[in-house]
Amino acid sequence: MAVGKCNGAEAATKNVAVIFGVTGLIGKELLRKLLSKSRWKVYGIARKPEITPIQNSNYHFISCDLLNLSEAQQKLSLVQDHVTHVFWVTWASQFPLDTQQQCYEQNKAMMSNVLNALIPTTNSLKHFSLQTGTKHYVSLQGHSNGKEVRYYNEGSPRASGGYNFYYALEDLMRERLGGKVAWSVHRPGLIMGNSQRTLFNFMGCLGVYGSICKYLNLPFVFGGTKECWEEMHIDGSDARLVAEQHIWAATNEKIYSSDGQAFNAINGSSFTWKDIWPAIGLKFGVKVPNNMFSTEFVFSKELGDKGGVWREIVEEEGLVQTEMEDLANWEFLDMLFRCQVKMLGTREKADRLGYTTKCNTLESVLYWIDNMREEKLIP
């Protein structure tokens, strides 16, 4: 993958970033990329630290429950420096998506707590970067949007129905920062990355599934709907590309907007699972049957009881100590491979404004399998 370069010159003085959700798929990459650049000091916020924390004199981790206002105010007071950039790549995931009094209001309250605690204490903030997703354009409570492939752009209207917390966060940004501080919104599709602290961890699911298939000599089956198997259904978003896009927008003053600027954050060309599934199986060294597709195979039913098998694999292979649930969420995989709506976007806007980095989704998957192996998370 070509590494994107920030178009804006870094400030002459040291930038101070706060990453909310630093242990997640994008948070980890944001941290790695910022620390690799000069003149950055980074504060990372999450409830729990990484299993193997990053050690760097320019990085400080703060454990914090952002839903607790008093705790947020107390812990964020530890950020003594003049904060220049905020990256919001977290969400409260205790409740189902699109629930008003739970997921919607909880996420709104979490960001509100941070804005109340952070904004009054700094007048040096240059940019606030918010991450949501391409679910911005659809309602998961609706029915299939048909076989016709539609590509959503950043100006596409919000979906009707449901309580998508993405809208609550964007509206809160507009209300609190509009006309005062530059901010941007980034909307990835299916994120390919590596984390042990992420609920919707696609690569974690895939890594554990492939490893169990290899260990038990099971066929590498795709369980889902025929439409999800054969048709373009969702965009891939490499965590490296998404993190670099955050930084590009946050440091490129030519595109700053205090009214908010939205960008799809996707790899590029679309793909089908039917086309890339055999190569993924080959990477794991597992049996790929001639008929890889099954409507009857349900991941949560077939793999939900394999926690003991995973512990055996971890022990025999000398892997980092994890429980299966630290990496894999089978209900998420079932939801992904049986989703009734298509979430496909265009990246024309980012390309036009100068962020032209693209990825091949199969290559992204293979890269992150290697990355998990290097970190001794999978064999």
Side-chain angles (χ1 to χ4, degrees), residues 129-145:
S129 185
L130 165 66
Q131 181 171 299
T132 58
T134 52
K135 184 183 169 291
H136 176 94
Y137 306 113
V138 302
S139 171
L140 297 185
Q141 295 181 351
H143 300 290
S144 172
N145 45 8

PDB file of all heavy atoms in Angstrom, residues 129-145:
ATOM      1  N   SER A 129     -11.420  15.573  14.777  1.00  0.00           N
ATOM      2  CA  SER A 129     -11.692  14.558  13.763  1.00  0.00           C
ATOM      3  C   SER A 129     -12.620  13.488  14.341  1.00  0.00           C
ATOM      4  O   SER A 129     -12.298  12.845  15.329  1.00  0.00           O
ATOM      5  CB  SER A 129     -10.367  13.924  13.310  1.00  0.00           C
ATOM      6  OG  SER A 129     -10.568  13.021  12.254  1.00  0.00           O
ATOM      7  N   LEU A 130     -13.761  13.316  13.709  1.00  0.00           N
ATOM      8  CA  LEU A 130     -14.778  12.362  14.151  1.00  0.00           C
ATOM      9  C   LEU A 130     -14.863  11.202  13.172  1.00  0.00           C
ATOM     10  O   LEU A 130     -14.901  11.405  11.961  1.00  0.00           O
ATOM     11  CB  LEU A 130     -16.141  13.068  14.232  1.00  0.00           C
ATOM     12  CG  LEU A 130     -17.386  12.191  14.338  1.00  0.00           C
ATOM     13  CD1 LEU A 130     -17.410  11.420  15.655  1.00  0.00           C
ATOM     14  CD2 LEU A 130     -18.652  13.047  14.190  1.00  0.00           C
ATOM     15  N   GLN A 131     -14.906   9.984  13.702  1.00  0.00           N
ATOM     16  CA  GLN A 131     -15.099   8.817  12.841  1.00  0.00           C
ATOM     17  C   GLN A 131     -16.474   8.207  13.068  1.00  0.00           C
ATOM     18  O   GLN A 131     -16.868   7.950  14.203  1.00  0.00           O
ATOM     19  CB  GLN A 131     -14.031   7.761  13.118  1.00  0.00           C
ATOM     20  CG  GLN A 131     -14.179   6.532  12.206  1.00  0.00           C
ATOM     21  CD  GLN A 131     -12.995   5.605  12.356  1.00  0.00           C
ATOM     22  OE1 GLN A 131     -11.869   5.987  12.077  1.00  0.00           O
ATOM     23  NE2 GLN A 131     -13.248   4.392  12.802  1.00  0.00           N
ATOM     24  N   THR A 132     -17.189   7.983  11.972  1.00  0.00           N
ATOM     25  CA  THR A 132     -18.468   7.263  12.042  1.00  0.00           C
ATOM     26  C   THR A 132     -18.377   6.066  11.100  1.00  0.00           C
ATOM     27  O   THR A 132     -17.616   5.154  11.344  1.00  0.00           O
ATOM     28  CB  THR A 132     -19.640   8.200  11.720  1.00  0.00           C
ATOM     29  OG1 THR A 132     -19.466   8.771  10.407  1.00  0.00           O
ATOM     30  CG2 THR A 132     -19.753   9.315  12.743  1.00  0.00           C
ATOM     31  N   GLY A 133     -19.132   6.048  10.006  1.00  0.00           N
ATOM     32  CA  GLY A 133     -19.049   4.931   9.073  1.00  0.00           C
ATOM     33  C   GLY A 133     -20.056   5.079   7.945  1.00  0.00           C
ATOM     34  O   GLY A 133     -20.906   5.980   7.961  1.00  0.00           O
ATOM     35  N   THR A 134     -19.956   4.188   6.957  1.00  0.00           N
ATOM     36  CA  THR A 134     -20.859   4.268   5.812  1.00  0.00           C
ATOM     37  C   THR A 134     -22.278   3.834   6.160  1.00  0.00           C
ATOM     38  O   THR A 134     -23.183   3.973   5.333  1.00  0.00           O
ATOM     39  CB  THR A 134     -20.331   3.446   4.628  1.00  0.00           C
ATOM     40  OG1 THR A 134     -20.032   2.109   5.063  1.00  0.00           O
ATOM     41  CG2 THR A 134     -19.075   4.068   4.048  1.00  0.00           C
ATOM     42  N   LYS A 135     -22.475   3.331   7.385  1.00  0.00           N
ATOM     43  CA  LYS A 135     -23.841   3.096   7.844  1.00  0.00           C
ATOM     44  C   LYS A 135     -24.599   4.431   7.968  1.00  0.00           C
ATOM     45  O   LYS A 135     -25.831   4.435   8.128  1.00  0.00           O
ATOM     46  CB  LYS A 135     -23.819   2.360   9.184  1.00  0.00           C
ATOM     47  CG  LYS A 135     -25.195   1.967   9.705  1.00  0.00           C
ATOM     48  CD  LYS A 135     -25.109   1.321  11.061  1.00  0.00           C
ATOM     49  CE  LYS A 135     -26.494   1.195  11.666  1.00  0.00           C
ATOM     50  NZ  LYS A 135     -27.058   2.519  12.016  1.00  0.00           N
ATOM     51  N   HIS A 136     -23.888   5.529   7.850  1.00  0.00           N
ATOM     52  CA  HIS A 136     -24.520   6.854   7.801  1.00  0.00           C
ATOM     53  C   HIS A 136     -25.589   6.917   6.723  1.00  0.00           C
ATOM     54  O   HIS A 136     -26.582   7.649   6.862  1.00  0.00           O
ATOM     55  CB  HIS A 136     -23.430   7.899   7.507  1.00  0.00           C
ATOM     56  CG  HIS A 136     -23.937   9.292   7.343  1.00  0.00           C
ATOM     57  ND1 HIS A 136     -23.986  10.204   8.379  1.00  0.00           N
ATOM     58  CD2 HIS A 136     -24.421   9.952   6.248  1.00  0.00           C
ATOM     59  CE1 HIS A 136     -24.477  11.342   7.935  1.00  0.00           C
ATOM     60  NE2 HIS A 136     -24.746  11.222   6.646  1.00  0.00           N
ATOM     61  N   TYR A 137     -25.427   6.150   5.649  1.00  0.00           N
ATOM     62  CA  TYR A 137     -26.283   6.277   4.467  1.00  0.00           C
ATOM     63  C   TYR A 137     -27.453   5.300   4.437  1.00  0.00           C
ATOM     64  O   TYR A 137     -28.291   5.387   3.540  1.00  0.00           O
ATOM     65  CB  TYR A 137     -25.445   6.077   3.202  1.00  0.00           C
ATOM     66  CG  TYR A 137     -24.242   6.990   3.121  1.00  0.00           C
ATOM     67  CD1 TYR A 137     -22.951   6.487   3.191  1.00  0.00           C
ATOM     68  CD2 TYR A 137     -24.406   8.373   2.988  1.00  0.00           C
ATOM     69  CE1 TYR A 137     -21.844   7.320   3.116  1.00  0.00           C
ATOM     70  CE2 TYR A 137     -23.307   9.217   2.921  1.00  0.00           C
ATOM     71  CZ  TYR A 137     -22.028   8.686   2.990  1.00  0.00           C
ATOM     72  OH  TYR A 137     -20.937   9.515   2.926  1.00  0.00           O
ATOM     73  N   VAL A 138     -27.492   4.346   5.371  1.00  0.00           N
ATOM     74  CA  VAL A 138     -28.534   3.324   5.319  1.00  0.00           C
ATOM     75  C   VAL A 138     -29.125   3.097   6.701  1.00  0.00           C
ATOM     76  O   VAL A 138     -28.543   3.486   7.713  1.00  0.00           O
ATOM     77  CB  VAL A 138     -27.991   1.975   4.780  1.00  0.00           C
ATOM     78  CG1 VAL A 138     -27.393   2.147   3.389  1.00  0.00           C
ATOM     79  CG2 VAL A 138     -26.965   1.380   5.737  1.00  0.00           C
ATOM     80  N   SER A 139     -30.278   2.460   6.725  1.00  0.00           N
ATOM     81  CA  SER A 139     -30.893   2.051   7.986  1.00  0.00           C
ATOM     82  C   SER A 139     -30.869   0.533   8.057  1.00  0.00           C
ATOM     83  O   SER A 139     -31.382  -0.144   7.169  1.00  0.00           O
ATOM     84  CB  SER A 139     -32.335   2.559   8.085  1.00  0.00           C
ATOM     85  OG  SER A 139     -32.978   1.985   9.217  1.00  0.00           O
ATOM     86  N   LEU A 140     -30.259   0.009   9.104  1.00  0.00           N
ATOM     87  CA  LEU A 140     -30.210  -1.446   9.260  1.00  0.00           C
ATOM     88  C   LEU A 140     -31.571  -2.019   9.634  1.00  0.00           C
ATOM     89  O   LEU A 140     -31.765  -3.232   9.625  1.00  0.00           O
ATOM     90  CB  LEU A 140     -29.169  -1.830  10.318  1.00  0.00           C
ATOM     91  CG  LEU A 140     -27.725  -1.457   9.978  1.00  0.00           C
ATOM     92  CD1 LEU A 140     -26.770  -2.002  11.035  1.00  0.00           C
ATOM     93  CD2 LEU A 140     -27.323  -1.969   8.605  1.00  0.00           C
ATOM     94  N   GLN A 141     -32.519  -1.144   9.956  1.00  0.00           N
ATOM     95  CA  GLN A 141     -33.867  -1.607  10.270  1.00  0.00           C
ATOM     96  C   GLN A 141     -34.712  -1.740   9.007  1.00  0.00           C
ATOM     97  O   GLN A 141     -35.811  -2.267   9.044  1.00  0.00           O
ATOM     98  CB  GLN A 141     -34.545  -0.634  11.235  1.00  0.00           C
ATOM     99  CG  GLN A 141     -33.859  -0.567  12.598  1.00  0.00           C
ATOM    100  CD  GLN A 141     -34.569   0.381  13.539  1.00  0.00           C
ATOM    101  OE1 GLN A 141     -35.470   1.122  13.146  1.00  0.00           O
ATOM    102  NE2 GLN A 141     -34.175   0.357  14.813  1.00  0.00           N
ATOM    103  N   GLY A 142     -34.165  -1.271   7.895  1.00  0.00           N
ATOM    104  CA  GLY A 142     -34.901  -1.331   6.638  1.00  0.00           C
ATOM    105  C   GLY A 142     -34.687  -2.639   5.920  1.00  0.00           C
ATOM    106  O   GLY A 142     -34.072  -3.578   6.420  1.00  0.00           O
ATOM    107  N   HIS A 143     -35.213  -2.726   4.716  1.00  0.00           N
ATOM    108  CA  HIS A 143     -35.078  -3.916   3.891  1.00  0.00           C
ATOM    109  C   HIS A 143     -33.992  -3.695   2.848  1.00  0.00           C
ATOM    110  O   HIS A 143     -33.394  -2.622   2.759  1.00  0.00           O
ATOM    111  CB  HIS A 143     -36.417  -4.251   3.221  1.00  0.00           C
ATOM    112  CG  HIS A 143     -37.516  -4.527   4.210  1.00  0.00           C
ATOM    113  ND1 HIS A 143     -37.544  -5.653   4.997  1.00  0.00           N
ATOM    114  CD2 HIS A 143     -38.619  -3.798   4.537  1.00  0.00           C
ATOM    115  CE1 HIS A 143     -38.626  -5.630   5.764  1.00  0.00           C
ATOM    116  NE2 HIS A 143     -39.291  -4.506   5.510  1.00  0.00           N
ATOM    117  N   SER A 144     -33.737  -4.700   2.064  1.00  0.00           N
ATOM    118  CA  SER A 144     -32.686  -4.617   1.054  1.00  0.00           C
ATOM    119  C   SER A 144     -32.909  -3.419   0.129  1.00  0.00           C
ATOM    120  O   SER A 144     -34.041  -3.108  -0.235  1.00  0.00           O
ATOM    121  CB  SER A 144     -32.666  -5.902   0.227  1.00  0.00           C
ATOM    122  OG  SER A 144     -31.783  -5.784  -0.862  1.00  0.00           O
ATOM    123  N   ASN A 145     -31.803  -2.741  -0.197  1.00  0.00           N
ATOM    124  CA  ASN A 145     -31.937  -1.631  -1.141  1.00  0.00           C
ATOM    125  C   ASN A 145     -31.762  -2.112  -2.576  1.00  0.00           C
ATOM    126  O   ASN A 145     -31.377  -1.356  -3.451  1.00  0.00           O
ATOM    127  CB  ASN A 145     -30.949  -0.500  -0.810  1.00  0.00           C
ATOM    128  CG  ASN A 145     -29.545  -1.017  -0.505  1.00  0.00           C
ATOM    129  OD1 ASN A 145     -29.253  -2.193  -0.677  1.00  0.00           O
ATOM    130  ND2 ASN A 145     -28.681  -0.121  -0.042  1.00  0.00           N
TER     131      ASN A 145
END
